[in-house]
Amino acid sequence: MLSTHPFDDDHLREECGIFGVSGGDGAAALVALGLHALQHRGQEAAGITSYDGTHFHTHRAMGHVAGNFDRDDVIRALPGSVACGHVRYSTTGETSLRNVQPLYAELQSGGFAVAHNGNISNAMRLRRDLVRTGSIFQSTSDTEVIIHLVATSSYRTLIDRFIDALKQLEGAYSLICMTPEGMIACRDPLGIRPLVMGKLGDTIIFASETVALDVVGAEFVREVDPGELVIVKGDEMTSHRPFAPLAARPCVFEYVYFSRPDSIADGQSVYSVRKAIGAQLAIESPVDADLVIPVPDSGVPAAIGYAQQSGLPFELGIIRSHYVGRTFIQPGDKVRHLGVKLKHNANRALIAGKRIVLIDDSIVRGTTSLKIVQMMREAGAADVHMRIASPPTRHSCFYGVDTPERSKLLAATHDLEEMRTYIHADSLAFISIDGLYKALGQQGRPRVRPGYCDACFTGDYPTTLTDQDESTPIDQFALLEERVG
């Protein structure tokens, strides 16, 4: 995997990344470059669909963009001036080729391809209703629900059918859709998942993050607004806002971990916000120590901010190998643990005898922090103080982030002292929720209408969660006791 966290099994998984090009020669090649820049958002599978004015062409594969879309024969098989692509980490649906996006279907109006970042929190309810009325699903992905809603809508035009479908969804979505008539890009009314727009000459580009625009040499134009649909038909671009305006609630974890630090989100440098988080953490939770050490790579900007604010030296106490992907030694717990050191190793000469402050972005199950603290102690650290650049993760995410069930989140079942004891640290502190908002330039977290979705920290979910409320399974082989619908 491309993830640079030393213990990948104990980390919030990125959601997905999407990238679309309209009006550019060799659009698929641009999409492949853009997806490569978004690889951190999804590392299980990738896909690209192109349109040459007559036919749609699709290539989907398990694994990374590199190795699947860096061959001339693959790109030549994706002709056309319009294309969209997707990198995936499965948050709903199994890990298999049938769930790899973009998903494609032939509708009454012609071909329809969709790439989706996010999670539809009423997808199971919608799926049951659609299956009951005759729809046949080919995947287990929540994204396919969108296609069926468009296909079965009673409205006449495609755009009205699409809007009709969106109005039945709850949860989070950023979408790039391709049709014979043009490309559609949109965000959910709360803007939980990101989507930006850029230009490369006369070519219009949509992407999950600005860094993908940078990589292809495109100019950032603006964000797609929450609840907005942008339609590109040839040289014509129009904007539609079919939803009642709502106060935006973009995902705050984009600033903590998900976005690349060289991206710009909502007008703010992600790197600068992460440094500010570290500085605020130093103000809230100072410690008498000798060194500040980041957990690479996600903890680096916050550690720089902590060091600058505290006046403590910043050092690289954990060294990452750039030449190791998945740990290839698997059998046996002892050997598997040794495999971890192929990726990361303690800088023993620096750490021995020192009181260190370890900076990481989050604690999920706690097994990561336990192993990191153990690594530092084995390297001879005198004291190990853990500082976390986000509030405690106490709640699951239902908006496109693969979070463990709540009972497996360490902060949901342990208080601060119990967490400190569990990871064997000399001290443990998290940034406060108000401190996180201060790092984002606010006075603190507003008690009414906060400007971000922070449900993983607070439990304040900005939408209803229909599927979670209807999670009791139905015995399909029981005798019929009541008639549905």
Side-chain angles (χ1 to χ4, degrees), residues 6-72:
F7 306 97
D8 300 313
D9 61 341
D10 182 32
H11 214 251
L12 294 184
R13 299 282 190 171
E14 303 88 338
E15 321 91 32
C16 299
I18 57 177
F19 192 91
V21 171
S22 179
D25 292 334
L30 279 178
V31 171
L33 287 173
L35 292 182
H36 195 277
L38 298 173
Q39 185 74 86
H40 60 287
R41 300 187 71 90
Q43 300 174 31
E44 286 189 349
I48 296 176
T49 296
S50 70
Y51 180 62
D52 61 10
T54 304
H55 298 103
F56 287 84
H57 310 268
T58 296
H59 183 80
R60 301 183 296 165
M62 304 304 296
H64 294 161
V65 178
N68 285 309
F69 292 96
D70 55 358
R71 305 197 317 268
D72 287 342

Side-chain angles (χ1 to χ4, degrees), residues 31 71 100 144 180 182 198 260 273 387 466:
V31 171
R71 305 197 317 268
V100 179
E144 192 177 354
R260 264 180 48 166
V273 170
R387 296 294 181 266
T466 296

Side-chain angles (χ1 to χ4, degrees), residues 88-107:
R88 178 176 191 265
Y89 179 82
S90 58
T91 54
T92 62
E94 63 191 23
T95 301
S96 66
L97 192 60
R98 65 175 176 162
N99 286 330
V100 179
Q101 298 184 34
L103 298 184
Y104 176 79
E106 288 284 348
L107 306 184

